[in-house]
Amino acid sequence: MKVQLDKRGWVKNVSKTLPVDRIDAESIGLVFFRQNGPQMFCDAVENALRNQSEFRSWYFTIIDALAGKQMVNVCPVSRNRWCEIDIAADLAIAEELFGEMAVRQNCSQTPA
């Protein structure tokens, strides 16, 4: 998901279809809620489930709507080691980044 930030650094939009000139960041798909955020998100999900036009929306559609109300902030992950896996080539990169760590922690044989 592509992310557009406002002038203060808050999330303005989250969408796969943002024009390239409006993309400031990319979401890795992790969401952390604070204070009344969990309840607001649950209420928005319940509302979407009741609304036939939004019934098949991705959860990022709800995050995007909350962002439009200046309720979503960012947490940079650039200092951390991470890798998005969408295709086989990404998996090879992840194995290179984390393979040694998985062997050390015996994670490579742990069932999912």
Side-chain angles (χ1 to χ4, degrees):
M1 284 293 190
K2 307 304 179 198
V3 177
Q4 179 185 22
L5 304 176
D6 68 13
K7 292 177 180 161
R8 296 181 343 189
W10 285 72
V11 176
K12 184 176 181 179
N13 293 103
V14 180
S15 174
K16 288 186 178 218
T17 60
L18 280 175
V20 174
D21 63 333
R22 291 178 40 199
I23 297 171
D24 298 305
E26 186 172 330
S27 174
I28 65 169
L30 294 175
V31 181
F32 175 70
F33 297 101
R34 294 184 186 169
Q35 299 169 349
N36 62 342
Q39 187 61 54
M40 291 171 54
F41 183 74
C42 287
D43 292 345
V45 168
E46 286 180 13
N47 187 44
L49 291 172
R50 289 186 182 102
N51 184 341
Q52 195 67 15
S53 66
E54 296 179 26
F55 187 72
R56 294 183 180 232
S57 297
W58 295 91
Y59 80 97
F60 269 117
T61 304
I62 294 166
I63 299 296
D64 183 62
L66 294 173
K69 299 174 185 177
Q70 292 189 330
M71 297 180 172
V72 181
N73 207 336
V74 297
C75 180
V77 297
S78 57
R79 293 184 191 161
N80 301 308
R81 185 165 48 162
W82 71 281
C83 180
E84 182 174 13
I85 302 173
D86 289 327
I87 59 175
D90 295 340
L91 181 57
I93 293 169
E95 287 173 338
E96 188 172 314
L97 283 171
F98 299 102
E100 184 178 314
M101 180 188 307
V103 170
R104 277 196 315 252
Q105 296 176 357
N106 200 20
C107 293
S108 61
Q109 296 178 4
T110 304

